[in-house]
Amino acid sequence: MASSTDHSTESRQLGPNKADKLFLAFLALVVVAVTGLGVVNYKEALKTETAKSNGEAWVAWLTETGATRFEANTPHPACKGGVKPAADAKADTPGTWGACLAHVMATTELKDQINPFFNTTPHFVAACVPSDRTLMGAILLEDLMPTPPGSATPFVASQLLETDSIDYKMQLRLSVCDKGGYAIKVAEFEF
C-alpha cells in the first residue's frame, strides 16, 4: 500500500491579514460617518419639530381666541369679530388681520417664538416654495373660503393678508415650511 508522505511544509498564517485589516478600518469609517449623519439629521429634525410646535401654538391661541372674539368683553379687542373695517382699510385698521397680528406679536406669548432655522421671529409667507431657502420655518396661514355645494373642492385657500377683514367666523389652515421648503400642514381650525 502506497501512501503519500509528501506533506506541504508551507506555513499558513492564522488571524487577519492586511486585506482584512483594511476592510475593518473601512467598516469603522462607515460606522463613524453614519453616526455623524444621524446626529446632523437628528438636529435638523428637531428644528422641524420646533417649527411645527410654533405652528401648533398659533393654532391653539387662534382657536382659543376664536371662541371668545365675538363676545363684547373679549380679552383681545384687536382680534374682535363682527367689527367691519372701512372699505379702504389699511393693515392697522381694527377688524383686519394686520391689527390682530400686530396685537398678537406685541402682547401675547407668541411674540417670543423663535424660528429654529434662523434664530429669528417666525414670519408669515404666501406659500412654501422649495426653491426659496429663506422660507424654512416660516408660517403659512390660509383663509379657507367654502365653495358652492356640489363642487369638486370644498374650499378655496387664499393667503390671509394684513388688509383682510376678520369680522366673520373664519375657517383657517396653518402650515409651516420645512427645511426643504415644503409645507407641513399643522391644522385646519375655526377663528
Side-chain angles (χ1 to χ4, degrees), residues 117-165:
F117 293 101
F118 300 112
N119 292 325
T120 60
T121 304
H123 62 286
F124 288 85
V125 295
C128 293
V129 180
S131 61
D132 189 353
R133 305 299 287 169
T134 64
L135 299 180
M136 295 185 296
I139 298 172
L140 171 60
L141 189 60
E142 297 171 299
D143 187 9
L144 302 176
M145 298 300 288
T147 57
S151 295
T153 57
F155 295 104
V156 174
S158 63
Q159 179 191 11
L160 188 59
L161 300 173
E162 291 185 357
T163 56
D164 286 349
S165 173

